[in-house]
Amino acid sequence: MKILVTGATGFIGTALCSHLLKNNHSVHYLVTDATDIKDKKNYKGFLWNPEKNEIDLNSLAEVDAIVNLAGHTINCKWTDENKKQIHNSRINCSNTLFNALQDNEHQVKFIVNASAIGIYQSSETAVYTENSTGFGDDFLATVCKDWEAANLRFEGLGIKTAITRFGLILSKDNGVLHELAKVVSKGLGANLGNGKQWMSWIHFNDVIQMIYQILNQQQNGIFNVVAPNPVRQNEFLKLLASQLNKPLWLPNIPSIFIKIGLGERSALVLSSQHVQSVKLPEIGCKFMFTNLESTLKDLYKSNE
């Protein structure tokens, strides 16, 4: 297959492109900076500017499927301007792809679009599956709902559409685990809030495998991309501290102080979503990592 990837220079996109190439697929990818363009065997970059609804239509040539991962990072201060960028960057990217496919001849039959489990309402008791409709109304949930609505429009063009709601993607070098480990490794780890928040996680390598399998099978619909065994935050931090050989001795940091310090962004550490995937097992996806302790051991094995 020839696959067009957006967000290809991000940490998920980079690994996915590498995996696609290793499995003998051709990759086109879209970037906003000409210095990121490379033209190698089966790997070619093209410019686009989603803010202006501009895209190099050559990027769609002979493309069979699209993986749309593009969007401004949420790992930033949530100023009004950054919140606007987080929201609009996702919608603009999806709209630019939609307009290009609607207005031009192409052979795209399938598209995988990113989303997140942040769409679900924060709860310490609810269990969410792909059939759940208990959506939140905070900033992240609103972004996800608007993003998914923009992406579901591809079905109106006759393009099979998958929405992948990512859980907390665990990587030693990126994301929430990387940030928590920086604190815990200094012996300053502490539960945030009451520590009972559910953390629905997934190993970085499993994310790539799940996207690849959905892509290969061209499976449409909603997919919760999470490992089978979520844990509460206090257990997560306990296992992380143990893996890093550091004590977890500080008292809980009350939610009120976190909200004062982080404002709306406190949702990233205080929200709770117990999420299960029903559909990934149904299509034959097998997780390499289902247990958090063994997952952390794998991620930090170079430290041993």
Side-chain angles (χ1 to χ4, degrees), residues 117 167 246 265:
I117 63 170
K246 295 293 181 180
R265 193 171 171 231

Side-chain angles (χ1 to χ4, degrees), residues 37 80 102 126 133 153 174 184 192 232 239 268 282 303:
I37 289 181
D80 288 344
Q102 178 180 242
T133 56
R153 293 194 304 151
N174 295 276
V184 173
L192 307 173
R232 294 196 186 266
L239 290 171
L268 294 175
E282 283 182 351
N303 290 354

Side-chain angles (χ1 to χ4, degrees), residues 3 10 29 55 59 81 91 116 118-119 139 159 173 177 186-187 189 192 218 231-232 235 259 269 279 294:
I3 299 150
Y29 66 95
I55 184 172
S59 64
E81 181 59 31
I91 308 305
I119 195 170
F139 171 66
I159 299 171
D173 302 314
L177 179 62
K186 296 175 183 176
L192 307 173
Q218 297 197 1
V231 298
R232 294 196 186 266
E235 179 68 9
K259 291 176 180 178
V269 294
K279 290 192 66 176
S294 60

Side-chain angles (χ1 to χ4, degrees), residues 218-292:
Q218 297 197 1
Q219 294 279 353
N220 64 318
I222 304 294
F223 294 88
N224 289 334
V225 184
V226 293
N229 297 301
V231 298
R232 294 196 186 266
Q233 186 202 96
N234 51 16
E235 179 68 9
F236 188 103
L237 289 172
K238 177 183 173 183
L239 290 171
L240 178 58
S242 176
Q243 181 61 43
L244 297 175
N245 296 311
K246 295 293 181 180
L248 195 65
W249 58 274
L250 292 173
N252 289 23
I253 301 174
S255 298
I256 185 65
F257 294 132
I258 298 171
K259 291 176 180 178
I260 291 171
L262 296 178
E264 268 189 293
R265 193 171 171 231
S266 62
L268 294 175
V269 294
L270 295 178
S271 63
S272 172
Q273 284 100 5
H274 183 155
V275 180
Q276 294 287 339
S277 179
V278 173
K279 290 192 66 176
L280 288 177
E282 283 182 351
I283 67 171
C285 288
K286 298 185 184 302
F287 292 87
M288 293 183 289
F289 300 93
T290 60
N291 173 274
L292 181 59

Side-chain angles (χ1 to χ4, degrees), residues 6 32 48-54 68-74 76 78-97 99 139-140 142-148 150-151 153:
T6 76
T32 57
W48 73 334
N49 186 338
E51 286 188 19
K52 297 182 178 180
N53 190 39
E54 296 175 350
N68 181 23
L69 303 172
H72 189 276
T73 181
I74 62 172
C76 61
W78 284 9
T79 61
D80 288 344
E81 181 59 31
N82 282 342
K83 284 172 62 179
K84 184 177 177 181
Q85 284 243 34
I86 289 168
H87 180 275
N88 290 355
S89 63
R90 286 160 172 76
I91 308 305
N92 290 342
C93 289
S94 296
N95 286 346
T96 299
L97 287 173
N99 292 335
F139 171 66
L140 283 182
T142 300
V143 169
C144 290
K145 287 185 286 188
D146 291 350
W147 198 11
E148 291 189 12
N151 291 330
R153 293 194 304 151

